[in-house]
């Protein structure tokens, strides 16, 4: 994991933060190795392109949509693949751990008074299993089971449910689709550098801020949060 904070392009002045919306896989949960372990199984079952180790590194430099196109996955298959993958995660949730910095991040964010939401294409059951009871208690709202490119709709649901304006929310993820969804709804986009996509491709999608380590998220929120 990188050790130095990274700053994205300058952003305009916004109102103080009241909400952080987290992606789960690759952001809070270190699930990358698990997904790679079942990639060939998925490719065989759903008849899309297998990826060798060299290609896996290449794909880190592509956007989410480019990855789907490279693998040759038609859109109609994506919900079927997502459902099957959720079942595999449920079966093997004991193999998937949180990133080392996640517990401390959630605890200290909770202490700042900002709301915390989780928006993921994974299931709520899987997220809860991997998080554990102590960390579940720190999350104000779960909005799970989004389609691969359907996070913007989930973001709008979270904002409406919690009564928070888009410019008072920070959406944090590890893929270009997370940045795109945040931009679509008018929230601030934060991209982490310890997940799936490379820094270069994330930067090309112009997030408001890049985070090199979990502590950077906490520092950012403390600087921009709404006073209690």
């Amino acid at each position: 994991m990188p050790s130095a904070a990274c700053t994205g392009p300058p952003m305009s002045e916004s109102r103080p933060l009241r909400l952080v919306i987290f992606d789960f896989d690759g952001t809070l949960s270190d699930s990358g190795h698990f997904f790679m372990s079942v990639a060939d199984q998925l490719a065989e079952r759903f008849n899309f392109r297998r990826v060798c180790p060299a290609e896996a590194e290449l794909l880190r430099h592509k956007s989410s949509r480019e990855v789907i196109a490279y693998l040759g996955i038609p859109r109609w298959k994506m919900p079927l693949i997502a459902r099957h993958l959720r079942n595999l995660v449920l079966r093997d949730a004991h193999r998937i751990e949180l990133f080392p910095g996640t517990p401390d991040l959630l605890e200290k964010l909770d202490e700042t008074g900002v709301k915390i939401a989780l928006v993921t294409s994974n299931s709520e059951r899987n997220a809860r299993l991997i998080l554990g009871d102590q960390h579940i208690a720190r999350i104000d709202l779960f909005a799970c089971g989004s389609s691969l490119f359907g996070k913007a709709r989930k973001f709008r649901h979270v904002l409406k449910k919690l009564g928070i304006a888009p410019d008072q929310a920070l959406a944090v993820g590890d893929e270009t689709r997370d940045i795109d969804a945040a931009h679509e709804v008018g929230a601030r986009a934060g991209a982490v550098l310890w997940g799936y996509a490379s820094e270069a491709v994330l930067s090309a999608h112009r997030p408001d801020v890049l985070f090199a380590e979990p502590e950077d998220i906490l520092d950012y929120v403390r600087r921009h949060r709404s006073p209690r």
Side-chain angles (χ1 to χ4, degrees):
M1 184 182 300
S3 59
C6 297
T7 304
M11 69 174 192
S12 58
E13 288 296 321
S14 299
R15 288 193 288 169
L17 279 178
R18 296 176 56 204
L19 168 67
V20 180
I21 306 174
F22 282 108
D23 169 54
F24 189 61
D25 295 296
T27 302
L28 298 180
S29 166
D30 188 4
S31 50
H33 294 299
F34 170 77
F35 289 148
M36 287 303 299
S37 75
V38 299
D40 283 351
Q41 177 188 149
L42 291 172
E44 181 176 358
R45 183 183 181 97
F46 295 100
N47 192 30
F48 62 83
R49 181 174 182 164
R50 288 175 181 260
V51 176
C52 69
E55 287 178 304
E57 179 58 28
L58 170 71
L59 292 179
R60 292 188 62 246
H61 301 278
K62 293 182 179 293
S63 72
S64 302
R65 293 185 186 278
E66 289 171 337
V67 170
I68 297 300
Y70 184 89
L71 296 177
I73 303 175
R75 291 185 69 89
W76 67 267
K77 282 189 180 181
M78 288 163 54
L80 303 176
I81 296 170
R83 187 179 305 117
H84 185 69
L85 186 54
R86 289 170 194 143
N87 288 335
L88 294 179
V89 172
L90 177 61
R91 182 194 69 190
D92 291 337
H94 62 281
R95 294 174 51 193
I96 303 172
E97 298 182 349
L98 301 175
F99 281 110
T102 294
D104 192 54
L105 171 62
L106 292 176
E107 178 183 356
K108 291 181 178 177
L109 275 180
D110 189 33
E111 292 171 356
T112 70
V114 300
K115 299 287 186 183
I116 301 173
L118 190 70
V119 172
T120 174
S121 53
N122 211 328
S123 70
E124 182 172 340
R125 183 179 182 183
N126 288 343
R128 286 177 176 271
L129 277 173
I130 297 167
L131 280 166
D133 291 342
Q134 179 181 359
H135 306 308
I136 289 169
R138 304 190 192 285
I139 296 176
D140 296 281
L141 185 63
F142 287 82
C144 302
S146 72
S147 62
L148 194 64
F149 297 105
K151 282 194 169 182
R153 183 173 66 85
K154 293 286 188 180
F155 285 176
R156 291 189 182 98
H157 167 75
V158 167
L159 293 168
K160 182 177 181 180
K161 187 81 173 178
L162 295 178
I164 293 174
D167 65 352
Q168 291 184 293
L170 168 70
V172 180
D174 70 311
E175 296 185 50
T176 62
R177 62 193 175 102
D178 300 312
I179 299 170
D180 293 341
H183 287 165
E184 184 175 336
V185 303
R188 279 174 263 189
V192 305
L193 301 182
W194 56 84
Y196 171 72
S198 70
E199 180 176 351
V201 74
L202 291 171
S203 295
H205 281 248
R206 299 189 62 77
D208 294 292
V209 59
L210 291 168
F211 299 115
E213 54 186 26
E215 185 69 23
D216 296 336
I217 300 174
L218 183 63
D219 290 343
Y220 180 89
V221 171
R222 283 172 171 163
R223 292 197 308 270
H224 295 90
R225 70 181 175 87
S226 177
R228 293 189 183 220

